Amino acid sequence: QVQLVESGGGSVQSGGSLRLSCIASNYPYSTYSMAWFRQTPGKKREGVAALHTTGATSYRASVKDRFTVSQDRAKKTLYLQMHDLKPEDTAMYYCAATQDGGRSFPGLIIDYYTYWGQGTQVTVSS
């Protein structure tokens, strides 16, 4: 059973920083693409940043110059470093994974992702 556990969320003021972590277990981590999505009540879940097994990345336009996705394969951990946070970044952030299986990079296409964590809340106040 694939498990993804997020942590690192919290409340910060506008302009602040947070680093989210997602610890993966029970699957061959190196063969899976990983991504961060976020969701606010009443809205669809949206892609934030994704990391392919090749190291390729994809970012949502509104976060591209502020967020960085990275990983530590030895620790099977995905990170999302967030700087210059804005109130509109307030959301529940979810970690997701999908097995590559030779496919091209799924990027931020939500339907490609099979496994999901429970989420960690990020709240940014103005």
Side-chain angles (χ1 to χ4, degrees), residues 6-9 16-23 29 34-38 46-51 57-60 63-64 66-72 77-83 85 89 91-95 108 120 122:
E6 303 97 332
S7 63
S17 299
L18 284 173
R19 188 177 79 158
L20 306 184
S21 299
C22 170
I23 299 177
Y29 178 84
M34 306 289 293
W36 290 97
F37 288 78
R38 66 187 182 189
E46 62 184 26
V48 177
L51 179 63
T57 57
S58 179
Y59 291 93
R60 183 173 197 81
V63 309
K64 191 171 183 177
R66 301 182 293 121
F67 292 9
T68 303
V69 62
S70 63
Q71 65 182 341
D72 183 331
T77 301
L78 181 75
Y79 301 102
L80 183 67
Q81 179 67 57
M82 306 184 292
H83 293 299
L85 282 161
D89 295 318
M92 183 72 77
Y93 283 70
Y94 297 92
C95 175
L108 299 178
T120 185
V122 172

Side-chain angles (χ1 to χ4, degrees), residues 8-14 16-18 20 82 85 90-91 120-126:
S11 296
V12 296
Q13 291 190 329
S14 183
S17 299
L18 284 173
L20 306 184
M82 306 184 292
L85 282 161
T90 294
T120 185
Q121 178 67 37
V122 172
T123 303
V124 185
S125 58
S126 58

